[in-house]
Amino acid sequence: SAHGAVAGALGGLGSSIIGWMTVAFVMDGEVNLATLGKDYPMLAGNLLALCASAIICVVVSCIQPQDFDWEVLRSESEKLLLEADPNARLPDDDSDDSQAGMDRVRGWTFRTAIGLTVLLIIIWPLLTLPEDPFSKSYFGWWVAVAFIWAHVAAFIAVIFPIWEVRHDLAVIMGVKYGFGNPFGSSSPDTSSGKGSLAGDSFASPTLDRSPSSKAFV
């Protein structure tokens, strides 16, 4: 609920600051820049920020639920749709753009998010326990895994989205600078106004400008 979200954000912030300073004071007898910068006070503050906010949000939402009817959002949104727009409604097939396709993606997203949460918050910190302090070989393994993780994450978050839309980007740049469609008929047809990229911001002068057609880039 709205009250739960606000309470969780504010409560998590307050809990993390209090826990951070409390652990620093308990361990060193004083709170200053040096003691606040140590590992255990910072760990306590981070854990409280992650866990307390979620707990507070769930508890407050259960106490003051909103019980929102999502059909209201659907019905109100449909009033704003343009019936002539082919993308105004979801297709009835089993494609990725259909309701069934989106439900599959939603399930995959939930499973991945839960798995990553368990991996990063529980399993990964637990892997620090077998050797305390780290041996040289164990630390090398730890750094190697973190290095590989960072590069894979960077590829998935930065490079892969660009690769997925490479054809559309090529069409946009080709039309903008007068090179035409570099992929021929295998990608959106810029000369006939049929394709997946709508709008005439980068339209070529040779595109069909008749009122019954759309300019595509």
Side-chain angles (χ1 to χ4, degrees), residues 47-130:
L47 287 176
L48 284 170
L50 290 171
C51 300
S53 58
I55 294 173
I56 294 173
C57 180
V58 172
V59 171
V60 174
S61 297
C62 292
I63 296 174
Q64 295 182 321
Q66 284 184 279
D67 297 328
F68 182 74
D69 185 4
W70 292 100
E71 288 301 322
V72 174
L73 177 62
R74 187 189 304 274
S75 61
E76 292 297 325
S77 299
E78 288 182 351
K79 296 178 182 179
L80 304 176
L81 298 178
L82 298 176
E83 296 297 335
D85 186 355
N87 298 316
R89 299 185 182 280
L90 297 176
D92 295 329
D93 53 21
D94 196 41
S95 63
D96 291 340
D97 294 331
S98 65
Q99 185 64 51
M102 292 185 179
D103 288 340
R104 289 195 300 269
V105 173
R106 182 180 62 177
W108 181 86
T109 303
F110 284 162
R111 291 191 297 271
T112 303
I114 294 173
L116 287 175
T117 300
V118 173
L119 175 63
L120 294 176
I121 296 181
I122 299 177
I123 297 178
W124 183 247
L126 286 177
L127 292 177
T128 63
L129 299 179

Side-chain angles (χ1 to χ4, degrees), residues 1-20:
S1 65
H3 292 96
V6 174
L10 297 178
L13 174 62
S15 300
S16 63
I17 295 176
I18 293 173
W20 179 31

Side-chain angles (χ1 to χ4, degrees), residues 3-215:
H3 292 96
V6 174
L10 297 178
L13 174 62
S15 300
S16 63
I17 295 176
I18 293 173
W20 179 31
M21 293 184 175
T22 300
V23 173
F25 181 78
V26 170
M27 294 187 65
D28 297 291
E30 57 181 347
V31 177
N32 54 36
L33 184 62
T35 59
L36 290 174
K38 292 186 176 181
D39 290 339
Y40 286 109
M42 295 180 64
L43 176 62
N46 285 322
L47 287 176
L48 284 170
L50 290 171
C51 300
S53 58
I55 294 173
I56 294 173
C57 180
V58 172
V59 171
V60 174
S61 297
C62 292
I63 296 174
Q64 295 182 321
Q66 284 184 279
D67 297 328
F68 182 74
D69 185 4
W70 292 100
E71 288 301 322
V72 174
L73 177 62
R74 187 189 304 274
S75 61
E76 292 297 325
S77 299
E78 288 182 351
K79 296 178 182 179
L80 304 176
L81 298 178
L82 298 176
E83 296 297 335
D85 186 355
N87 298 316
R89 299 185 182 280
L90 297 176
D92 295 329
D93 53 21
D94 196 41
S95 63
D96 291 340
D97 294 331
S98 65
Q99 185 64 51
M102 292 185 179
D103 288 340
R104 289 195 300 269
V105 173
R106 182 180 62 177
W108 181 86
T109 303
F110 284 162
R111 291 191 297 271
T112 303
I114 294 173
L116 287 175
T117 300
V118 173
L119 175 63
L120 294 176
I121 296 181
I122 299 177
I123 297 178
W124 183 247
L126 286 177
L127 292 177
T128 63
L129 299 179
E131 292 200 26
D132 185 18
F134 282 5
S135 65
K136 185 176 181 179
S137 59
Y138 196 84
F139 180 73
W141 169 83
W142 181 270
V143 173
V145 172
F147 186 81
I148 295 171
W149 178 277
H151 280 73
V152 172
F155 174 81
I156 295 174
V158 179
I159 305 300
F160 188 62
I162 298 176
W163 176 258
E164 283 189 315
V165 297
R166 63 191 184 281
H167 289 148
D168 292 339
L169 290 176
V171 172
I172 291 173
M173 300 305 295
V175 173
K176 178 175 174 62
Y177 294 106
F179 299 113
N181 186 346
F183 294 97
S185 59
S186 62
S187 61
D189 184 359
T190 60
S191 63
S192 63
K194 297 179 179 179
S196 61
L197 301 174
D200 56 2
S201 300
F202 303 108
S204 170
T206 60
L207 293 176
D208 185 0
R209 295 286 187 170
S210 62
S212 60
S213 66
K214 295 181 180 178

